[in-house]
Amino acid sequence: MLLHEFNPSIKALTVIVCVLILSVFFDPVTPFLTLVVTAGATFIFGKVSFKRWILLFSPFIFMAIIYIWSALIFSKTIEGETILWTWGIFTLTEEGFQRALSLGMRVLSFTSLSLLFILTTKPTEFLLSLMQQCRLPPKLAYGIMAGYRFLPLMKEEFEIIRSAHRIRGVPKARKLSEKMAELKRYSVPLLAGAIRKAERTAMAMESKGFTGDRNRDFYQKISVSWKDWAYFSFFIGAVLASAYISWLFGFLRLYNGEL
């Protein structure tokens, strides 16, 4: 069964619970093993392009490296720790290196869980699931859905307005003052167009009897089955199994306010 077929709300709950459990531990092995399991499940059971995944994942690799480097530079040496290397005022300890590596692995593990949810979940189905399973008010959900649908249209209108300005001989802005004036020229027609679309959408919804009542029928039913809870149990079990393996090798530590 593909990851795309699971209930979106259960997938979101899985990510939240996994992140909370991972936050309890502060060792490099637990988040690393969770990262491996999550990335493997994403590509094996999800129709996800590796190129797109690595494109979204790569900025967080850089962020993790920054976290590791900062933790190594500004870490405090505690008495009794094993010193690996000393150079001037800089002292690298085994425990400090593990703390820094744990911080970086946390970032990558959280990112992999988030990407699994984002790349295997349709926004429309997620909002429908929030309404049906989590009792999200329909007025709020459909407002978010309408705004999400407007984003591609806003981009298309922006390109049309910019092309129209170029045809009429408006030069490309180079100075800061010219860019501010250009922003004003673009924002006014975009805002006017957005207001017109919002009014038409509101009138269309009202004409079709949309009142925002929670007790309403849905054309597309989103249900929860035992397979969704099996998905939830699998990832929670994977995180706990990673922690157990870390404990077997003597790396497992609980978070105690370390930086």
Side-chain angles (χ1 to χ4, degrees):
M1 189 173 186
L2 295 176
L3 295 174
H4 307 265
E5 301 174 8
F6 290 108
N7 185 285
S9 294
I10 300 299
K11 286 197 286 186
L13 177 64
T14 302
V15 173
I16 294 172
V17 175
C18 286
V19 168
L20 291 176
I21 295 175
L22 285 169
S23 300
V24 176
F25 305 111
F26 202 73
D27 64 280
V29 176
T30 302
F32 173 73
L33 293 178
T34 303
L35 168 63
V36 172
V37 172
T38 306
T42 302
F43 296 117
I44 296 174
F45 300 105
K47 294 180 180 178
V48 177
S49 168
F50 177 77
K51 183 178 179 180
R52 184 185 180 192
W53 186 89
I54 200 65
L55 184 65
L56 296 172
F57 190 74
S58 54
F60 295 94
I61 297 177
F62 177 74
M63 186 183 299
I65 294 173
I66 295 298
Y67 276 131
I68 293 173
W69 179 254
S70 300
L72 289 175
I73 294 296
F74 300 105
S75 64
K76 297 180 180 179
T77 303
I78 303 174
E79 186 177 355
E81 292 186 343
T82 304
I83 298 177
L84 299 178
W85 182 55
T86 302
W87 183 65
I89 62 173
F90 177 73
T91 301
L92 176 63
T93 63
E94 182 179 348
E95 291 77 8
F97 179 72
Q98 289 185 15
R99 288 194 295 268
L101 195 60
S102 174
L103 190 61
M105 285 294 104
R106 271 183 163 201
V107 173
L108 298 181
S109 181
F110 294 167
T111 303
S112 65
L113 287 166
S114 301
L115 287 180
L116 182 144
F117 172 77
I118 293 171
L119 298 178
T120 63
T121 306
K122 294 180 180 179
T124 302
E125 292 181 356
F126 180 46
L127 287 171
L128 288 174
S129 177
L130 288 177
M131 283 190 287
Q132 296 177 33
Q133 273 80 53
C134 303
R135 308 301 293 172
L136 181 71
K139 287 184 178 180
L140 178 60
Y142 279 105
I144 296 173
M145 196 180 302
Y148 177 77
R149 296 290 187 185
F150 282 161
L151 289 178
L153 297 177
M154 294 286 288
K155 181 181 178 182
E156 183 179 349
E157 285 194 4
F158 174 77
E159 295 293 340
I160 293 173
I161 294 171
R162 186 168 63 177
S163 299
H165 286 187
R166 295 289 181 270
I167 292 174
R168 286 168 173 79
V170 179
K172 185 177 181 180
R174 300 186 183 279
K175 298 180 181 179
L176 180 61
S177 58
E178 294 176 351
K179 290 183 178 180
M180 295 299 294
E182 185 181 59
L183 179 63
K184 184 178 179 180
R185 289 199 305 270
Y186 289 158
S187 59
V188 172
L190 283 174
L191 181 60
I195 293 173
R196 287 196 298 269
K197 286 184 175 62
E199 289 179 347
R200 288 197 295 265
T201 302
M203 292 175 62
M205 294 177 71
E206 187 176 354
S207 66
K208 289 177 170 53
F210 179 77
T211 61
D213 186 14
R214 293 177 181 269
N215 300 318
R216 62 190 305 275
D217 293 329
F218 292 92
Y219 175 75
Q220 183 178 0
K221 295 285 186 178
I222 306 293
S223 60
V224 179
S225 66
W226 66 269
K227 296 179 181 179
D228 299 305
W229 292 115
Y231 169 89
F232 176 82
S233 302
F234 170 78
F235 277 96
I236 301 301
V239 175
L240 295 177
S242 300
Y244 178 70
I245 293 173
S246 178
W247 175 76
L248 287 179
F249 285 93
F251 290 100
L252 187 66
R253 290 183 57 196
L254 299 180
Y255 180 71
N256 193 26
E258 295 93 337
L259 294 177

